[in-house]
Amino acid sequence: MNIRDFEYLVALAEHKHFRKAAESCFVSQPTLSGQIKKLEEEVGLTLLERTSRKVLFTDAGLQLVEQAKRILTEVKLFSELANQQGKDMSGPLHLGFIPTVGPYVLPWIVPTLKERFPDLNLYLHEAQTHQLVKMLEEGKIDCMILASVDETSAFIEIPVYDEPMVLAVPTDHKWADEGTIDMSRLSGESVLMLGDGHCLRDQALGFCFAAGAKDDDHFKATSLETLRNMVAAGSGITLMPYLSVPKEKVRDGVCYLPAKDPVPHRQIVLAYRPGSPLRSRYEDLAKEIEKKMAEVIC
């Protein structure tokens, strides 16, 4: 058996499907299936209940999956220790980010990081917070950029920027001609929001509820762009992160208004596993991101 076999086993446990597991490991389905069968023969145990519809793991199989995850985490740690002996900012770095951050911050920071650290090979992974947390725990990514929430408290967090939220209203809305909006004026209003699973939803709702507004339960957006289009269509108002908002006050049927008293905002951090030997690498990365975003958000 080898490390690759453990990767196949864990992938199969996650996907419960041979083809999808093989695709995630970048091998053919026969290759993955054959290696799993070979692993069963080596350990002398039946790890899977093979049916025509789905993959089920035996109790012994599930125990070995958990052990394989621990082994892969230790291998990741070994790799990090080895990398630490060479140039700090070289080689691969797997960076995770949430959908409400990545598309709006990456165009600013990726060119900067490539220029500042030319020997660093960035691999980017987009997923929701709970998925990134699991990926970081299992060593599938090295660090992640996301909003600080309770789910990330187990990791080391380095603040990289504080992002205000801006009120978005249709251009024919009663507030469209105003310069700024006090949050207290949202009292009694219904606000469009992202669906469950997006941490921005909970953060924005916190400010809206405090102001006396309520969640519009007739619609839940899957992305910020869908949310923006719903506002443009006159379906309601919402809060959007500063980086997702154009410089113009009005664009494509949406009017963007700074909110105040209080200014709604979220803290964006770079998070990594406690005890990682590459702490200095992540701190250098966070420092460059913080520096660049201070220029962008002013």
Side-chain angles (χ1 to χ4, degrees):
M1 69 184 72
N2 55 50
I3 298 301
R4 196 64 172 145
D5 292 338
F6 298 148
E7 292 175 349
Y8 295 157
L9 186 65
V10 171
L12 190 57
E14 290 178 351
H15 294 281
K16 303 291 193 299
H17 193 283
F18 276 96
R19 178 180 59 78
K20 292 179 180 178
E23 289 175 351
S24 72
C25 294
F26 303 102
V27 296
S28 67
Q29 182 174 328
T31 295
L32 184 139
S33 180
Q35 287 301 114
I36 294 294
K37 186 66 178 176
K38 181 180 177 182
L39 181 61
E40 287 182 311
E41 293 171 355
E42 285 190 52
V43 298
L45 295 170
T46 299
L47 306 180
L48 306 173
E49 295 179 19
R50 294 171 173 81
T51 70
S52 58
R53 292 188 176 182
K54 56 185 177 180
V55 174
L56 296 175
F57 276 79
T58 63
D59 288 341
L62 289 173
Q63 290 182 35
L64 290 185
V65 166
E66 292 306 311
Q67 184 61 36
K69 288 180 180 179
R70 287 191 286 270
I71 291 171
L72 292 175
T73 298
E74 290 300 317
V75 169
K76 179 68 175 178
L77 179 59
F78 181 91
S79 178
E80 289 182 350
L81 285 168
N83 286 335
Q84 189 184 33
Q85 305 309 312
K87 295 175 65 177
D88 285 341
M89 301 303 286
S90 64
L93 188 143
H94 291 263
L95 174 64
F97 54 87
I98 55 177
T100 60
V101 165
Y104 311 103
V105 73
L106 291 178
W108 294 105
I109 66 172
V110 169
T112 298
L113 296 178
K114 283 187 174 181
E115 180 180 355
R116 181 69 180 82
F117 310 115
D119 295 326
L120 194 64
N121 299 319
L122 280 176
Y123 294 87
L124 306 174
H125 305 263
E126 181 180 78
Q128 292 186 357
T129 298
H130 69 282
Q131 295 168 317
L132 290 179
V133 166
K134 183 178 180 182
M135 292 170 70
L136 188 57
E137 288 175 340
E138 295 178 353
K140 293 182 177 179
I141 56 176
D142 300 303
C143 58
M144 55 188 182
I145 299 174
L146 73 178
S148 180
V149 292
D150 289 343
E151 289 178 88
T152 62
S153 60
F155 304 111
I156 303 297
E157 296 181 351
I158 308 174
V160 287
Y161 63 92
D162 192 73
E163 185 174 26
M165 298 183 203
V166 178
L167 186 67
V169 303
T171 51
D172 60 355
H173 194 273
K174 60 186 178 182
W175 296 337
D177 293 330
E178 303 201 24
T180 59
I181 293 292
D182 284 6
M183 285 296 291
S184 60
R185 295 180 65 183
L186 268 65
S187 180
E189 298 285 338
S190 292
V191 183
L192 298 172
M193 286 289 164
L194 291 169
D196 294 335
H198 293 275
C199 59
L200 178 61
R201 168 183 170 80
D202 296 332
Q203 293 157 341
L205 276 177
F207 286 101
C208 290
F209 287 163
K214 58 183 179 180
D215 181 17
D216 187 332
D217 58 8
H218 293 97
F219 174 78
K220 297 292 182 291
T222 56
S223 71
L224 285 179
E225 298 313 307
T226 301
L227 205 56
R228 193 195 314 273
N229 288 330
M230 291 300 290
V231 173
S235 298
I237 64 176
T238 193
L239 287 175
M240 299 196 72
Y242 177 87
L243 292 177
S244 69
V245 172
K247 292 182 178 180
E248 302 90 340
K249 178 181 177 181
V250 178
R251 182 193 285 184
D252 299 329
V254 180
C255 180
Y256 301 95
L257 303 168
K260 62 178 184 178
D261 297 329
V263 175
H265 65 97
R266 60 178 181 170
Q267 179 72 61
I268 306 299
V269 301
L270 184 146
Y272 63 93
R273 291 180 296 275
S276 172
L278 298 181
R279 175 175 180 172
S280 61
R281 170 183 286 203
Y282 305 135
E283 289 179 346
D284 288 345
L285 202 67
K287 187 182 300 181
E288 292 300 321
I289 295 172
E290 181 182 19
K291 188 188 306 181
K292 182 61 182 180
M293 298 316 297
E295 301 173 5
V296 176
I297 302 177
C298 52

